[in-house]
Amino acid sequence: MATGDLERGNGKNRGNSYNRSSSSYSLENDEKQWTSWLVPMFLVANVDVFVVVMYINNCPNNNPRLEGRCVARFLGRLSFQPTRENPLFGPSSNTLEKLGALEWYKVVHGNQGWRLITCVWLHAGVIHLLANMLSLIFIGIRLEQQFGFICVGLIYLLFGLGGSILSALFIQRNISVGASGALFGLLGAMLSELLTNWTIYTNKAAALITLVVIIAINLAIGILPHVDNFAHIGGFLSGFLLGFVLLLRPQFGWVGLKNLPAGAPVKSKHMAYQYVFWVIGVVLLIVGFSVGLVMLFRGENGNDHCSWCHYLSCVPTSKWQCGN
């Protein structure tokens, strides 16, 4: 997305030569471009899971009294629940709950901690699925091409877990599903990647403003009812911190020792502030996940420790309420 079109460094210096003191040294281009295959696999997996969920949901047979009101009845058992029950064109909440939706009581008191992960692969409907998968394509493919599948895979899974933990701490009366936490984590990682690799980008201010605006708009949408903004915030914070740890790049102009003649001065591979960000990111990630998990499995309610935090997920207006 926003930083995908940024130019790195100075175009005159990005080739295969490095000039210093009127001497020319050979430099291998370290901008390795990875082939993106993991993100497309994530996309296929999410779509496949949704089809399986709809097959199990089986609106016509499992809800005989609603058979005539199932949406897209020509799809047979893949038809959707009535729009009054699910306006996103998807399964019933009961089906999502049975198949692994995030539900606080079952996680804490039912020893079903696996729901913190499975809920990331479930979606409430076609609209929900399309929105998340389009975001995954535009954000995830760019990151995988630049940093490889291992980083993106770890980031995606940890983002989803971070979003689930925060969601379970603050939303304890409803179920929650979706990859939104993981996707907001990718946005957070893009922001920290821009900050920690600041020296290699041109048009820094424009890129930063664009990315912050995109993030702000998406978080603002999260204050609407029936949207789990805590999953968004948890994923974003996890991604922002993990980006400092995994998405570190050498500063512009750095040359490996093998490319320099003996006695030539060598620049430090990373800037001092990059190491500071790295340490802060590691410490806050460990503390954040540890505190969050301990609070969750002790059965604590995050709202008891933050009386105003519920406004982060829904702000009541004259048009809607923020009940269950």
Side-chain angles (χ1 to χ4, degrees):
M1 288 183 67
T3 56
D5 298 326
L6 290 176
E7 299 177 12
R8 298 183 183 280
N10 187 318
K12 295 184 296 183
N13 296 326
R14 285 194 61 205
N16 294 322
S17 63
Y18 173 71
N19 297 317
R20 172 178 289 172
S21 302
S22 69
S23 298
S24 180
Y25 304 130
S26 174
L27 170 65
E28 292 181 0
N29 191 345
D30 61 356
E31 292 279 341
K32 181 176 180 179
Q33 192 82 352
W34 298 76
T35 299
S36 177
W37 61 268
L38 185 62
V39 168
M41 283 187 61
F42 281 161
L43 186 150
V44 172
N46 277 281
V47 173
D48 287 347
V49 168
F50 182 75
V51 173
V52 171
V53 170
M54 293 307 305
Y55 185 84
I56 295 174
N57 184 70
N58 193 4
C59 179
N61 292 341
N62 291 339
N63 304 276
R65 62 185 179 83
L66 299 177
E67 181 178 359
R69 288 182 284 172
C70 293
V71 179
R73 283 177 290 170
F74 63 89
L75 293 175
R77 65 183 298 154
L78 297 180
S79 58
F80 312 122
Q81 294 296 118
T83 53
R84 290 188 61 182
E85 180 182 346
N86 188 341
L88 298 177
F89 301 107
S92 67
S93 58
N94 288 334
T95 299
L96 290 171
E97 182 181 342
K98 292 176 183 177
L99 296 180
L102 180 61
E103 185 179 5
W104 174 82
Y105 187 85
K106 291 186 177 180
V107 170
V108 176
H109 301 289
N111 297 319
Q112 297 181 14
W114 46 268
R115 289 179 178 270
L116 294 169
I117 298 297
T118 55
C119 68
V120 177
W121 301 94
L122 298 173
H123 286 84
V126 172
I127 296 176
H128 188 201
L129 178 68
L130 286 177
N132 280 347
M133 293 306 99
L134 286 174
S135 299
L136 177 62
I137 291 173
F138 286 115
I139 303 173
I141 288 181
R142 176 256 174 183
L143 287 176
E144 185 177 0
Q145 287 175 341
Q146 294 194 2
F147 296 98
F149 68 93
I150 295 178
C151 285
V152 171
L154 286 173
I155 287 171
Y156 186 86
L157 294 176
L158 286 175
F159 293 168
L161 178 60
S164 297
I165 293 173
L166 196 65
S167 176
L169 282 172
F170 285 93
I171 300 179
Q172 301 185 350
R173 296 182 180 180
N174 300 312
I175 65 171
S176 179
V177 295
S180 300
L183 296 173
F184 267 81
L186 293 178
L187 277 175
M190 290 180 71
L191 179 59
S192 58
E193 190 269 330
L194 172 62
L195 295 176
T196 196
N197 301 319
W198 188 258
T199 60
I200 66 175
Y201 284 108
T202 59
N203 300 324
K204 300 177 178 65
L208 180 60
I209 292 172
T210 302
L211 190 53
V212 168
V213 169
I214 291 173
I215 294 170
I217 291 174
N218 281 275
L219 288 175
I221 294 174
I223 66 175
L224 296 173
H226 308 301
V227 179
D228 184 1
N229 213 24
F230 286 113
H232 298 169
I233 296 171
F236 174 79
L237 292 176
S238 302
F240 183 68
L241 294 174
L242 196 58
F244 288 127
V245 178
L246 295 181
L247 307 184
L248 203 64
R249 286 184 180 275
Q251 63 169 311
F252 178 71
W254 178 80
V255 182
L257 290 175
K258 66 179 181 179
N259 297 315
L260 290 175
V266 181
K267 296 179 66 174
S268 173
K269 184 175 182 179
H270 296 105
M271 303 287 284
Y273 76 87
Q274 291 179 299
Y275 292 113
V276 173
F277 282 160
W278 190 92
V279 172
I280 293 175
V282 170
V283 172
L284 291 182
L285 274 173
I286 294 175
V287 172
F289 272 94
S290 299
V291 172
L293 287 171
V294 169
M295 289 180 62
L296 175 61
F297 287 104
R298 287 177 59 183
E300 297 191 29
N301 189 329
N303 294 291
D304 294 337
H305 302 275
C306 180
S307 60
W308 55 268
C309 283
H310 60 279
Y311 291 117
L312 294 175
S313 187
C314 182
V315 177
T317 70
S318 59
K319 300 294 184 181
W320 64 73
Q321 298 297 317
C322 294
N324 289 342

